[in-house]
Amino acid sequence: MKLYKKLFTAIVCSSVLTTPLAIADDYPEKPVTMIVAYSPGGGNDTVARLMAKHIEPYLGARMVVENASGAGGQIGFTRLAKTDNDGYTVGLLSSPSIFMIEMLRKNVAFTLDDFQAIANIQSDPILLAVNAKSDYQSFEDFAKKVENNAGSINVSGDGPQSNIHLQAAALEDALSLDINFVSYSGSGPSATALLGNEVEAALLTTSSALAFIESGRIRPLAVFAPERHPALKELPTINEASGTDVADIGTAIRGVASPAGVSKERVEHLEKAFESLLKDEDFIKAAQNIGITLTYQNSEAFEETLKSSRDGTKRYIDLMK
């Protein structure tokens, strides 16, 4: 009888010790959903679907992309913040857009505290471009024209109240310029307006502009980034072109996050999966082919980037009202 009790106790203790590990090892047991807060075909959706195509060997399960678009991203971000924190739902956060929603609207049902940073994937800076047939050969040419025609030089961009609109506000503030920002429903329509000479210049994400630049249809004048873009090494940064420090606050930072409260073990599993993905040669090549500049950060570094982006957005947000 004593031997039976000892054996039973040993089995129970063994079960208690190994059950949590077994649960952790079994994750994920089903596909992981990635919520994209924007419509199919846009920059966020493109990045998400490219990751979903390549990540399964590192994640250990399929990743399924679901678009939850509407209200400039608010619907999708709210859904991500409020979903179960079991590690089976992640989303692509787009900064500074997510902070602009929080700061410019009432009754927004999320803050940064509602998300757990997993990994930064991409940084997509804004550039100023003109039609290739334009007389503007440099940023200096453009700035002089704006100074002499305050408020009348039309510049297109995604908006209103978008990351590109925010970048336009920061540009005007730093250089005391007065442009007429004309909002379009996305970078595509904004570029089309530039090609059709509806506007004199456009503020575009670099990824959306690359194809037009490579085909010789538009001429970039400056990129809003601390360093020159690897795909456009001859293009000066806005600080080089203007001689003034202009914040690159409009840069689209795209990274993966989950709802707050996901277990440490599952966060680590997700983080390692995305770290491995961004070292995958096939994924890197596929990203380069469509103009995506990959900028991996682990969960801790990505969290600090988000906090910094939020602080920068807050600095300029009053210019958007």
Side-chain angles (χ1 to χ4, degrees), residues 113-314:
D113 292 338
D114 291 309
F115 303 99
Q116 165 65 54
I118 301 295
N120 187 39
I121 304 300
Q122 179 195 18
S123 294
D124 193 3
I126 310 303
L127 57 77
L128 178 70
V130 295
N131 193 304
K133 297 178 181 179
S134 169
D135 292 334
Y136 301 127
Q137 297 297 320
S138 66
F139 177 80
E140 184 180 8
D141 292 341
F142 171 80
K144 285 182 178 179
K145 185 68 176 290
V146 173
E147 289 173 357
N148 294 329
N149 299 272
S152 63
I153 302 300
N154 295 330
V155 179
S156 66
D158 184 6
Q161 296 184 349
S162 65
N163 62 310
I164 292 180
H165 194 183
L166 184 67
Q167 187 64 74
L171 170 66
E172 291 180 302
D173 181 64
L175 301 181
S176 299
L177 296 177
D178 183 10
I179 64 174
N180 183 38
F181 183 79
V182 183
S183 296
Y184 287 81
S185 60
S187 289
S190 175
T192 300
L194 179 63
L195 294 171
N197 293 314
E198 296 175 18
V199 295
E200 292 195 47
L203 287 163
L204 305 167
T205 59
T206 301
S207 62
S208 68
L210 276 176
F212 296 108
I213 295 171
E214 292 171 353
S215 65
R217 302 176 71 189
I218 68 172
R219 178 187 304 121
L221 301 181
V223 62
F224 293 82
E227 298 178 356
R228 295 194 177 195
H229 195 280
L232 299 167
K233 294 181 180 179
E234 300 302 315
L235 180 66
T237 67
I238 187 62
N239 293 355
E240 291 173 329
S242 68
T244 304
D245 185 13
V246 181
D248 56 324
I249 189 60
T251 296
I253 300 168
R254 298 179 179 126
V256 180
S258 69
V262 174
S263 70
K264 180 181 178 182
E265 292 78 12
R266 295 190 176 187
V267 168
E268 289 176 350
H269 182 94
L270 289 164
E271 181 183 28
K272 289 178 181 178
F274 284 101
E275 180 181 10
S276 298
L277 174 66
L278 267 74
K279 295 177 181 178
D280 183 285
E281 291 184 3
D282 290 338
F283 175 74
I284 294 171
K285 185 177 180 180
Q288 290 174 339
N289 287 341
I290 56 176
I292 293 174
T293 301
L294 301 172
T295 51
Y296 173 77
Q297 290 180 315
N298 63 19
S299 60
E300 183 177 354
F302 182 35
E303 183 177 357
E304 290 304 312
T305 294
L306 288 172
K307 289 179 179 178
S308 177
S309 179
R310 190 181 190 284
D311 290 343
T313 303
K314 189 174 182 179

Side-chain angles (χ1 to χ4, degrees), residues 7-22:
L7 181 60
F8 178 77
T9 301
I11 291 172
V12 170
C13 289
S14 176
S15 176
V16 169
L17 290 172
T18 60
T19 298
L21 181 60

